[in-house]
Structure formats: structure tokens, C-alpha cells
Amino acid sequence: MTQPLSERGRGQRLLQLGIAGGDLVIISAATALAAVGRTRLEIFEFSNDVNQVAQSVGLWIVVAWMLANLALGTYTSSHLGVGTIEYARVCSAAGLTAGAIGILSYLTKFDLSRGFFVLIFAIGLPTVLLWRWYARRLVHHAHLGGHLLTRVLISGSVSHVDDVAAVLEREQWLGYRIVGALVPSSQPARTTPKGVPVVGTTAETASSVLAEKADMVVFTEGAFPSATDFRRIAWDLEGHQVQMAVVPSLSDISSGRMAMRPVGGLPLVHVEQPQSLGASRGLKRAFDFVGATLLLLLAAPVMIVFAIATKLQDGGPVLFRQTRVGREGELFECLKFRSMVVDAEAKLSSITHLNQNADGVLFKAQRDPRITKVGAFMRRYSIDELPQLINVVNGDMSLVGPRPALPAEVRRYVPDVQRRLHVRPGMTGLWQVSGRSDLSWDDTVRLDLYYVDNWSIVQDLSIMAKTIHAVFRPNGAY
């Protein structure tokens, strides 16, 4: 028997209806604007029957587009507000609708205005994507404000429970609220080492989930001894509004490198090889050269202004040149606008007590007294890093990649961290859009290694888009 929706379930249902309502309004408006644009824009030949055609098929186009959104799962709760699948499915729904209209018009010999047809999707698709992006921002703000939260139980061995809990607590915008842990009876405890309260054992999963009114249970290693036990848990939770998620043993591997292929009823996860070679070859290099050249042209006026401001402040050099380690350990001069006093390196030994990264190999101080007034403003908006576009054009750096390291840092690398040097360092990267200077050394390394192993052009474009948002946030910029 299906249980009634929880408060969170009702909120999720309202969210889905709200997003669908927004889509409906936008698609309807795009259809109306396409009809008007077809008759008003001079690039199209004038036709008296366009409005009549639009009125006869416009409603059906709107209905078809909404049905395509529904059929392709663009309103599925598991994809709303996170990841790129939602955007991909929105694009697929628009493509499916356009293809179906084109084929039907051809088969029925219906005289559909090509200008009207093109304008519907030229206006509608970007606007729907923009609406979905805005709705996603609203959902994230709601999560950070304590609304629409998913109550989560984590089941598994104590150490793995803490690992999963650390990720969910760090990414609070995802909207997960950890209400407890379920651990094996062989590991009795009131709380895990990192403070997650233990509310039951893994053998009591179903009853504990219902008692805690959890919306989701996350299974990690140690949650069940065999597939049969997991199947029984699923049977016990059948009919209840509870999501189940399994954390695989594979970590830091993008979904693009994994494919599920059932073999004789056994779900095999095929994993593609790491992508570090692809991240250092022709396609990425061409992308970097063209992108950096265009950005240099656009940023030239801003760079001239701050070069003059830096020079006028104290008469010192405009650029700060520092030796960094590039791809495969090659040294290069990394360029930045000087944001510190001229003798900043000499003063470093006198302020080591301000280091906020004692557990890592980097020096980071939130209030570094060596930073100038102009430099503080440049750092706030990452303007000091614009000269690195020259490094990108020269091939020393990439637009996106691991943070460029100092030789002294590299000498302290353990073997696994050396893998960061397989690709060119980047002006921005996952470390930049995930917290900037607020990240710990371990988190910086984890994100850099994830990038190296899971590189793709789509990921580069996504990181660059997120960087624009990150540089305007006050958090982590010092």
C-alpha cells in the first residue's frame, strides 16, 4: 500500500508543478512571439496567412513540446536542481518536438512557415534553459535556508558513513539533511567518530528508515552482506515514499566514464580509461589558444587600467613573475598583476604564523598584510590573473586545469599527487569553482585529480561558466 506524501514530498511535487508551469508559460510566449516576429522581421518575406497558420498549429506545438518534456523526464525529481542531465533532457525534448513537427509537416504536406518554425525554438529553447537555471538557483537558496530538505539515513561501516556524511555536509546546497547512521551490529557506537548519531543497525534498515521518517537511505560499504539482503530491504520499503541510493566502491569517477551493462542479470559497470592524455592533446590546445586569444582582446582595456593603477600606487613593476611547474614538470614563468608590496617574498618568513593551511603545502592567509589596496581589489575579482592568458597562448598553461604549483610544493608531493602534472595547469579549475582559497589541501588535490582523470570539453565549458559566478562571490577570494 502506497503511503501518503511527506512534507518534503509535497514540497517536491509543488516544485515540479512550478517548473512545469514556467515551461508552459515560456513555450506559449515563444510561440506567440514567433508568429509576431515572422510578420514583423524584415528578414522574412511577408505572408498574410502566417497568423492563421500559427493559430491553427500553435496550440498543438505547445502541447507536443510539453509532452516531450514529460516523456523525457525533464521533471524527474532526482535530476531537478543538480547535474547536467536536466539541461540535456530539456534540449532533447526540444529536438524531439522539432523533429516530429518537421516530419509530420513533410508527410502531410502542411505548409508550415519555416520562419515561424525556426523562431519558436530559437526563442523558446534558450529561454527555457535560462528559466531552469534560475529555478535551480531558487532551489539552492531554499536548501541553504533549510527548506525542501531531504532527510537522509546513511547505512554502512562507520568509516564509510563518515566519508559520505562529509561530502553531503560540505555540499549543503544539495539539500540533504543527515538524520542518523545505521552501522553493523559488530561496530556498536552511539555516534560515528565525526559525530553522526547512530540510530540503529544495518539489520534494522527498513524499520529505522520509517521510525526516523527518512526521505532517503544511502547505502555504502558494509550496509548489507549480499545482494539478497539489499533486495529484501527494497521489498520492505516498497510502497513507502523513500528513495534508495547506493554509493559504489568506485570513487572520483565521472558518470561519463561509466556505463551499466547487464550480463546474465548481473549489472556490470564498465569504466573507461582515465582521460589525462586527452586533456593534453590537440583539441584542448586548440580550444585554449582560440579562447585565450579572444579573451585577451576583450580584457585588454581592463588590463591597461589596472596596469596603470598598479604602477601609480608605489612605482614598482606591474607584473609579478613567478616560476611555476607546468606539464610533466617543466618550469615556466607564471604572469600576474603584482598585488603585493615589492618585497613580499622577503617578508614571508615574518608572517608564517598567519598561515591558515598548516596541514598542507600551501601558504594561505586571509588577511595577508603584504597585499596592496589595488591588489586586494584585483584579487577580489581575480583580475590579477588576467596576464595568465598570455601563458595560455604560449602553451605554458590552459584555460582550465589544476592550480599551477610552485617548485617547493612539487618537491613535497607524494606519488599520487604527481599525477596533477600530467596536464597543463589552468587559470581556473574545479578548485576555483568549489571554494577557491577556502578549500583544504586534500580537497584541492582531490578535485585536481578528478579533473585530470575525467577531462572533457563539456566539463571545461561548465567550469568556465561557473568561474564567472565564482569570481563575484566574496567567499574564498584572498
Side-chain angles (χ1 to χ4, degrees):
M1 179 179 178
T2 302
Q3 297 295 311
L5 290 175
S6 63
E7 181 179 351
R8 188 261 178 189
R10 289 191 295 271
Q12 191 70 30
R13 184 65 55 83
L14 288 174
L15 173 64
Q16 292 169 310
L17 290 174
I19 291 177
D23 285 354
L24 179 59
V25 170
I26 290 170
I27 294 170
S28 300
T31 304
L33 289 173
V36 173
R38 173 61 182 84
T39 57
R40 300 287 179 86
L41 295 177
E42 295 181 358
I43 59 174
F44 300 114
E45 294 182 3
F46 181 77
S47 177
N48 290 320
D49 64 343
V50 170
N51 287 334
Q52 182 179 352
V53 172
Q55 291 173 7
S56 64
V57 301
L59 176 62
W60 296 109
I61 292 175
V62 173
V63 171
W65 197 339
M66 290 299 296
L67 288 176
N69 276 329
L70 188 63
L72 293 182
T74 68
Y75 306 114
T76 303
S77 60
S78 58
H79 300 311
L80 289 178
V82 62
T84 59
I85 294 179
E86 178 186 355
Y87 298 134
R89 290 185 177 182
V90 166
C91 293
S92 297
L96 176 63
T97 306
I101 293 171
I103 292 171
L104 285 173
S105 297
Y106 174 77
L107 292 177
T108 60
K109 298 182 179 180
F110 182 77
D111 189 18
L112 179 65
S113 166
R114 285 172 291 181
F116 172 67
F117 175 79
V118 169
L119 283 175
I120 288 177
F121 295 98
I123 297 171
L125 179 57
T127 312
V128 169
L129 289 172
L130 183 62
W131 155 242
R132 291 301 188 99
W133 175 85
Y134 180 69
R136 180 171 289 196
R137 301 279 80 75
L138 293 178
V139 171
H140 293 172
H141 283 300
H143 288 162
L144 293 173
H147 306 291
L148 295 176
L149 298 181
T150 300
R151 293 172 58 84
V152 177
L153 277 180
I154 307 175
S155 177
S157 62
V158 171
S159 60
H160 289 98
V161 165
D162 277 341
D163 289 342
V164 173
V167 174
L168 298 185
E169 289 174 351
R170 183 176 65 240
E171 310 293 343
Q172 293 184 15
W173 56 272
L174 290 171
Y176 293 115
R177 179 187 172 193
I178 301 170
V179 296
L182 304 174
V183 301
S185 55
S186 59
Q187 299 179 347
R190 291 188 176 182
T191 64
T192 65
K194 293 187 178 179
V196 179
V198 176
V199 298
T201 67
T202 54
E204 305 165 338
T205 298
S207 59
S208 297
V209 167
L210 299 178
E212 297 297 326
K213 297 181 180 179
D215 301 303
M216 173 185 282
V217 55
V218 176
F219 298 96
T220 185
E221 286 192 43
F224 44 85
S226 68
T228 301
D229 293 280
F230 176 74
R231 185 169 55 190
R232 288 172 181 158
I233 294 172
W235 289 343
D236 291 338
L237 293 176
E238 185 178 11
H240 299 279
Q241 302 296 329
V242 178
Q243 301 176 55
M244 295 189 298
V246 178
V247 179
S249 300
L250 303 172
S251 62
D252 290 334
I253 296 177
S254 69
S255 59
R257 287 177 55 204
M258 295 189 291
M260 182 74 74
R261 298 172 188 169
V263 177
L266 180 66
L268 295 182
V269 178
H270 290 250
V271 182
E272 295 182 5
Q273 292 187 356
Q275 303 298 307
S276 63
L277 293 178
S280 58
R281 289 181 175 173
L283 178 61
K284 182 170 173 63
R285 178 64 191 133
F287 173 80
D288 287 336
F289 182 81
V290 173
T293 302
L294 292 175
L295 289 173
L296 263 177
L297 294 174
L298 292 173
V302 176
M303 294 174 69
I304 292 172
V305 169
F306 281 95
I308 295 172
T310 302
K311 187 68 176 178
L312 292 177
Q313 180 171 254
D314 56 16
V318 170
L319 293 178
F320 174 67
R321 302 169 184 269
Q322 189 175 46
T323 300
R324 298 281 179 133
V325 181
R327 181 186 168 201
E328 303 301 346
E330 294 183 4
L331 301 180
F332 70 97
E333 274 197 340
C334 183
L335 304 177
K336 292 177 112 180
F337 282 130
R338 181 174 58 84
S339 60
M340 291 187 175
V341 295
V342 177
D343 57 346
E345 291 295 316
K347 291 183 176 180
L348 179 60
S349 59
S350 65
I351 60 169
T352 54
H353 62 284
L354 299 177
N355 188 10
Q356 296 176 318
N357 192 40
D359 61 336
V361 299
L362 306 178
F363 175 84
K364 292 190 296 187
Q366 190 164 2
R367 292 178 177 83
D368 194 326
R370 300 173 299 165
I371 299 175
T372 65
K373 290 182 179 180
V374 174
F377 183 87
M378 290 193 295
R379 287 190 172 207
R380 169 68 177 78
Y381 296 104
S382 298
I383 296 170
D384 60 318
E385 297 177 2
L386 288 178
Q388 291 175 16
L389 289 168
I390 300 172
N391 289 122
V392 177
V393 172
N394 291 337
D396 298 322
M397 293 180 63
S398 174
L399 288 174
V400 183
R403 188 190 64 81
L406 293 165
E409 296 170 10
V410 173
R411 286 194 291 270
R412 297 174 62 185
Y413 279 2
V414 296
D416 283 355
V417 183
Q418 292 281 347
R419 188 167 177 80
R420 299 171 80 236
L421 305 179
H422 283 9
V423 301
R424 293 181 181 88
M427 289 184 63
T428 185
L430 281 175
W431 50 273
Q432 172 85 343
V433 300
S434 301
R436 304 172 81 178
S437 297
D438 286 334
L439 289 175
S440 68
W441 168 248
D442 288 341
D443 282 338
T444 301
V445 170
R446 179 180 61 83
L447 291 171
D448 281 345
L449 294 182
Y450 178 91
Y451 174 82
V452 172
D453 288 345
N454 301 284
W455 172 83
S456 72
I457 283 290
V458 173
Q459 182 179 223
D460 276 6
L461 291 171
S462 176
I463 291 171
M464 290 180 68
K466 291 178 181 178
T467 299
I468 298 173
H469 175 66
V471 296
F472 287 103
R473 291 183 303 180
N475 303 53
Y478 53 85

